[in-house]
Amino acid sequence: MENRYTKAFRIILALTDLIIVNLCFYLGLHLTARYFGFSIQTVSTKYAIVYNVLWVILAIIFKLYHTATATSKVCFYKATAKVYFTHFVLFSTFLVSIYSFEHLVNFLIAFNCLLFLSLLIGRFSGGMLEGYFSGNTEINNNADCD
């Protein structure tokens, strides 16, 4: 049974993930433009829509914001890893099919490193804060993840 706090947590989680994903995309664009001379027009911001839709579809497929996943830390970390790595492969393949790989390598490295670090820090700090406020610091290792 889902209560209103769990539902609010899932909605906040989805919104913060989309904010993180977009910040990493645009920060990756600007970092590669500044330090590697990469043109922002090469990977236009119109691909941010593709990127966001792909993230949402993969989050639905891997049940990232499902009640059972959001209430178990182990399942949540596994689902996040599945979404991240699948998204990395699909979005990189999409961009490389449109542009040459030499022009995109710096952007893809910067962008995916930023996204990985922000998700890692966000998930572990969120898990620690949740454990601190709930008084439960143990992770449920016997969780049944789909």
Side-chain angles (χ1 to χ4, degrees):
M1 173 131 178
E2 182 178 37
N3 59 23
R4 62 181 171 183
Y5 299 111
T6 307
K7 188 168 184 94
F9 174 70
R10 289 176 43 217
I11 291 170
I12 290 170
L13 191 63
L15 291 176
T16 56
D17 277 355
L18 284 175
I19 291 170
I20 287 172
V21 164
N22 285 305
L23 283 176
C24 290
F25 183 82
Y26 289 110
L27 188 61
L29 277 176
H30 289 292
L31 285 176
T32 53
R34 182 173 181 182
Y35 293 110
F36 299 108
F38 184 72
S39 175
I40 292 177
Q41 287 78 23
T42 303
V43 179
S44 177
T45 55
K46 66 183 173 186
Y47 296 122
I49 295 170
V50 173
Y51 185 78
N52 285 314
V53 168
L54 184 62
W55 182 268
V56 170
I57 289 172
L58 289 174
I60 292 169
I61 289 172
F62 292 116
K63 299 178 183 178
L64 183 60
Y65 308 117
H66 192 264
T67 305
T69 307
T71 55
S72 170
K73 290 179 189 177
V74 173
C75 293
F76 187 63
Y77 295 154
K78 285 181 181 180
T80 301
K82 288 177 189 177
V83 171
Y84 170 76
F85 288 116
T86 308
H87 190 274
F88 168 72
V89 169
L90 292 177
F91 190 68
S92 298
T93 305
F94 170 73
L95 285 181
V96 170
S97 68
I98 295 173
Y99 301 108
S100 65
F101 184 72
E102 305 89 40
H103 300 286
L104 293 173
V105 68
N106 293 327
F107 167 70
L108 289 174
I109 290 171
F111 168 61
N112 286 303
C113 286
L114 284 170
L115 185 60
F116 178 76
L117 290 174
S118 63
L119 286 175
L120 186 72
I121 291 169
R123 296 305 190 241
F124 284 127
S125 63
M128 289 174 55
L129 286 174
E130 188 267 332
Y132 175 75
F133 287 122
S134 70
N136 183 11
T137 57
E138 295 181 14
I139 294 176
N140 183 6
N141 291 327
N142 298 326
D144 183 29
C145 302
D146 293 329

